[in-house]
Amino acid sequence: MTTKLPQLKKDFIESLSQISRFWGFPKGMGAIFAVLYISPTPLSLDEITEQTGLTKGAISTEVRTLARMGLVHRSSKLGDRKDYYEAETDFYTSIRSILKERQNSEFDRALLGVRETLEKLDSGSVSGDDAEVQFIRERVQALQEFFDAIDSLTNAVIKLEKLGISNVAKIISILK
Amino acid sequence: MTTKLPQLKKDFIESLSQISRFWGFPKGMGAIFAVLYISPTPLSLDEITEQTGLTKGAISTEVRTLARMGLVHRSSKLGDRKDYYEAETDFYTSIRSILKERQNSEFDRALLGVRETLEKLDSGSVSGDDAEVQFIRERVQALQEFFDAIDSLTNAVIKLEKLGISNVAKIISILK
DNA sequence: TAGAATGTTTAGTAGTTACTAAACTTAGTA
DNA sequence: TACTAAGTTTAGTAACTACTAAACATTCTA
């Protein structure tokens, strides 16, 4: 039983749309990336419109976000007024810029909030029942250590690029 | 300058609420977990209501989700009809059950979609321009390899529990 | 059995978000 | 200059989500 290429493309686009939505990005963003990712040549805004069914407006704004995250790149041809877009294929590079993009985000400010809570508790500047303060201090500290561990691992992922994917297996075996 | 304990708690709850929202969970879920996490004793539904400002109904449903994810545990006292809830403090245990919970989720089905796309391309059962099929095959394969690498690392995180957080630093240094 | 205490479910709502349609802008061309 | 092609911005909308309020269910106690 054979599958026709257009159908295969549609399925792939649909899968990436779902994955995108799961990570808290618009469904359409995933679709746009998918279309660009499996295109041998850079595509114009109109071509993306055609393959995703989204309107020009939506693509215009979402492609800008994708570019800011480093997941797509914008280029142009001489003597052609159109913009052309292509997908970044190095995902580790993308991850790095996505994380950079997240700097100063609500998320980072929230993490900072926890850190500040811990600092206050550590500096002994919190007034209240001593035993309770101590208890909370230990709990918040454990949480902070967990966050730090996750942070370290995130940085590790970023570094995987240099190591090459093939080495991941080796690292995993070290962990076992 | 001293901070009063109730204010510190409020700030902490607010921080975890934001973090929760960032990860795509309801804000209230983070607040409930925060309240339980910094409580020395298990709390009843009414006590959680009081500290979060949410209604009984909301807490009833959200605490169930938290329990299913392994982030809180429900218990009861003899001769007391109330349910009591306390936070799980081993985050690695929680992560494991969250990931298990995700099994068969929309996300996993989407990942499966990509894998199936690749299998079709590999088995040569896709009809269409040969060069294009080959190009798409390579791209999808690269994406699949990336997903696999992330998956390996996720599993590594889960295993960190056994190693102890302190060893994470050593692992990171290996990666450098 | 009635009443109270606890927890669950359900109908509705306010707020958010991803998107469309269309007005607008900018730049190139006849 | 008017016209066209491309992209952006903006106003509005449909669908979703987290939550509230209140009805409902269950279990214990007088």
Side-chain angles (χ1 to χ4, degrees), chain A residues 12 16 28-38 66 71-72 87-89 91 94, chain B residues 143:
Chain A
F12 180 74
L16 283 207
M29 249 180 70
I32 294 169
F33 179 81
V35 164
L36 294 174
Y37 185 70
I38 56 173
L66 280 165
L71 278 164
V72 313
E88 168 64 56
T89 54
F91 300 110
S94 302
Chain B
L143 182 66

Side-chain angles (χ1 to χ4, degrees), chain B residues 45 56-57 60-61 64 74 81-83:
Chain B
L45 204 148
K56 273 200 309 174
S60 172
T61 54
R64 203 184 316 144
R74 187 187 302 229
R81 201 144 58 75
K82 286 198 195 95
D83 286 346

Side-chain angles (χ1 to χ4, degrees), chain A residues 56 60 64 81 83:
Chain A
K56 271 201 310 174
S60 172
R64 204 184 315 142
R81 201 145 57 76
D83 287 345

Side-chain angles (χ1 to χ4, degrees), chain B residues 123-167:
Chain B
S123 70
S125 69
V126 178
S127 66
D129 176 76
D130 275 357
E132 193 181 1
V133 169
Q134 182 57 19
F135 173 85
I136 292 176
R137 195 186 142 276
E138 277 161 22
R139 285 271 161 118
V140 175
Q141 187 172 320
L143 182 66
Q144 184 61 56
E145 275 167 16
F146 174 73
F147 285 160
D148 288 342
I150 296 295
D151 192 49
S152 298
L153 257 148
T154 307
N155 291 328
V157 173
I158 293 175
K159 295 209 173 90
L160 285 182
E161 181 208 15
K162 289 177 192 159
L163 293 164
I165 295 178
S166 64
N167 282 322

Side-chain angles (χ1 to χ4, degrees), chain B residues 95-147:
Chain B
I95 284 188
R96 193 180 304 121
S97 58
I98 288 172
L99 292 177
K100 219 180 272 174
E101 167 77 11
R102 265 187 192 167
Q103 220 69 16
N104 287 321
S105 69
E106 294 299 314
F107 180 63
D108 274 10
R109 289 208 284 117
L111 281 185
L112 187 65
V114 173
R115 176 158 272 129
E116 282 171 356
T117 302
L118 181 58
E119 275 164 14
K120 279 178 196 155
L121 287 160
D122 275 339
S123 70
S125 69
V126 178
S127 66
D129 176 76
D130 275 357
E132 193 181 1
V133 169
Q134 182 57 19
F135 173 85
I136 292 176
R137 195 186 142 276
E138 277 161 22
R139 285 271 161 118
V140 175
Q141 187 172 320
L143 182 66
Q144 184 61 56
E145 275 167 16
F146 174 73
F147 285 160

Side-chain angles (χ1 to χ4, degrees), chain B residues 13-22 24-36 48-49 51-55 58-63 65-66 69 72:
Chain B
I13 293 165
E14 177 62 21
S15 291
L16 284 207
S17 299
Q18 301 285 6
I19 289 169
S20 173
R21 204 179 47 165
F22 184 86
F25 301 109
K27 203 179 117 206
M29 250 180 70
I32 293 169
F33 179 81
V35 164
L36 294 174
I48 302 172
T49 300
Q51 290 197 51
T52 57
L54 299 173
T55 57
I59 293 170
S60 172
T61 54
E62 271 161 22
V63 102
T65 314
L66 280 166
M69 297 200 298
V72 313

